[in-house]
Amino acid sequence: MSILEIALASQIWARRHEKRALAFDESGGLKALLRVAFIFVAFTLLIAVLNIAAGRPQMPAQSSAPVLTGR
């Protein structure tokens, strides 16, 4: 079993055996929103760094997209 599989199985086991609170508080929603924002920023930075390391940074389009004609 790989390390990733062991970690995933451990996470699943822990979630099945934990007691969850049924009440929703406002801080829970804020935490979820902050996590999503953090993950989005982290992956965006990761992709940008990998593109720069590969020598092909993403640039805004220099011209508009070609238009298909003749149909």
Side-chain angles (χ1 to χ4, degrees):
M1 228 191 256
S2 71
I3 294 174
L4 182 59
E5 290 171 331
I6 294 170
L8 184 60
S10 175
Q11 184 72 18
I12 291 170
W13 184 86
R15 285 191 177 187
R16 286 185 180 170
H17 290 82
E18 74 181 5
K19 302 292 181 191
R20 293 189 181 209
L22 297 177
F24 178 78
D25 56 350
E26 291 180 13
S27 66
L30 182 60
K31 285 181 185 178
L33 185 63
L34 287 174
R35 286 180 185 166
V36 169
F38 175 76
I39 290 170
F40 177 78
V41 169
F43 277 112
T44 302
L45 289 174
L46 176 66
I47 291 170
V49 168
L50 290 174
N51 280 333
I52 290 171
R56 51 181 182 166
Q58 292 180 347
M59 295 290 188
Q62 297 289 332
S63 61
S64 61
V67 178
L68 295 176
T69 57
R71 285 191 173 199

